[in-house]
Amino acid sequence: MTQPVRLQDRPAWGYLLRDYYEFYRFLSAGGSAAIRSHQKTVRERISRVIKSNAEVRETEGVSKPVTAHLQRGLDNGRLERHAPFIRALETVREHLVWQYGYEKVPRGLERNYAYAELAGPTGPVVTDEIILGLVLFAPGCTYPAHAHDGIAESYICLSGAVSENDQGVYAPGSLIFNPPSHLHRITVADRNPALLCYAWVGDRDKLSNQKMVFTRPRSTSK
Ligand SMILES: [Fe+2]
């Protein structure tokens, strides 16, 4: 039987996880105890993934229409303080599996949105500690209101600008925190794509049961 491939065999993924960890260390919590505690949880879990020398299931990448905007998103992100993180993403770019997460994609989203997981129960870095991934939105996209049952979520804006629930504008380097069940709707500025990374923490069973398959209240679905 062949041995599984592990982080030590694929250093690009290890570096990416380390950079993720650093991201959650140097970003300000803005004085919020809840956000500070979330950032700490994310760091602890990433740390465990690295220490366990987790399995890496690298596959060939899958694109979606929105990935035509990825280069622009990365290029813009490289102008920011987190340029090293963008560089780490580029080293695994060919393995990113971009997907929708919906059985039936809400109208208008097929061309404007996709996400790719970096770590989680189904890989590429295999773990049930945490889910880490990227979301890419085309300019002008509206991502319908949704909430995550039992999962605390944070998005970090890597490039572009987004708003959540029409409350505030998040430029590159901003962190948005969504506690479990918090309903949120994302809008994206008109001229550039928005590239976000996210972290989900929750109980193992919650993490293994959800991807971007949302609890979406009927009344607010787009
Ligand atoms: Fe979300």
Side-chain angles (χ1 to χ4, degrees), residues 143 146-148 153 155 164 178 184 186 200 212 214:
Y143 192 51
H146 65 280
H148 310 280
E153 169 188 71
Y155 295 113
E164 187 183 273
N178 295 313
H184 53 286
I186 307 278
W200 283 359
M212 284 257 171
F214 308 119

Side-chain angles (χ1 to χ4, degrees), residues 39-54:
Q39 288 171 314
K40 185 163 179 271
T41 307
V42 170
R43 290 199 306 273
E44 285 167 355
R45 296 200 177 198
I46 292 176
S47 211
R48 271 187 251 159
V49 178
I50 296 171
K51 281 202 191 103
S52 71
N53 192 20

Side-chain angles (χ1 to χ4, degrees), residues 186-209:
I186 307 278
T187 52
V188 179
D190 279 340
R191 302 211 173 154
N192 275 292
L195 179 64
L196 277 54
C197 67
Y198 64 91
W200 283 359
V201 290
D203 291 344
R204 277 158 216 262
D205 61 318
K206 291 284 184 198
L207 285 181
S208 52
N209 286 331

Side-chain angles (χ1 to χ4, degrees), residues 14-217:
Y15 291 132
L16 178 61
L17 288 178
R18 278 180 206 287
D19 286 358
Y20 233 109
Y21 179 101
E22 286 303 315
F23 222 163
Y24 275 79
R25 192 175 61 81
F26 79 65
L27 276 191
S28 170
S32 160
I35 293 176
R36 194 176 308 118
S37 148
H38 169 80
Q39 288 171 314
K40 185 163 179 271
T41 307
V42 170
R43 290 199 306 273
E44 285 167 355
R45 296 200 177 198
I46 292 176
S47 211
R48 271 187 251 159
V49 178
I50 296 171
K51 281 202 191 103
S52 71
N53 192 20
E55 185 182 347
V56 179
R57 281 186 213 143
E58 233 174 27
T59 56
E60 218 168 290
V62 173
S63 61
K64 286 282 179 283
V66 74
T67 45
H69 297 272
L70 180 60
Q71 190 61 53
R72 177 75 171 184
L74 292 168
D75 287 347
N76 287 345
R78 219 179 294 109
L79 303 172
E80 305 293 336
R81 187 178 166 205
H82 49 257
F85 185 75
I86 302 289
R87 194 175 56 205
L89 286 175
E90 285 181 319
T91 65
V92 299
R93 181 180 173 176
E94 63 187 302
H95 300 294
L96 297 176
V97 176
W98 292 95
Q99 49 195 311
Y100 296 128
Y102 295 95
E103 271 172 37
K104 192 172 176 302
V105 187
R107 241 205 356 219
L109 269 193
E110 311 99 291
R111 306 199 57 78
N112 292 330
Y113 143 91
Y115 75 94
E117 287 185 342
L118 301 167
T122 56
V125 178
V126 183
T127 176
D128 56 8
E129 296 275 358
I130 192 163
I131 294 181
L132 303 173
L134 298 173
V135 192
L136 179 63
F137 298 115
C141 173
T142 292
Y143 192 51
H146 65 280
H148 310 280
D149 173 37
I151 301 249
E153 169 188 71
S154 50
Y155 295 113
I156 299 173
C157 181
L158 299 175
S159 73
V162 295
S163 181
E164 187 183 273
N165 297 346
D166 298 314
Q167 293 166 345
V169 178
Y170 301 97
S174 307
L175 183 149
I176 311 172
F177 177 60
N178 295 313
S181 304
H182 174 72
L183 196 61
H184 53 286
R185 169 180 168 272
I186 307 278
T187 52
V188 179
D190 279 340
R191 302 211 173 154
N192 275 292
L195 179 64
L196 277 54
C197 67
Y198 64 91
W200 283 359
V201 290
D203 291 344
R204 277 158 216 262
D205 61 318
K206 291 284 184 198
L207 285 181
S208 52
N209 286 331
Q210 38 193 312
K211 294 196 134 197
M212 284 257 171
V213 181
F214 308 119
T215 334
R216 287 201 299 140

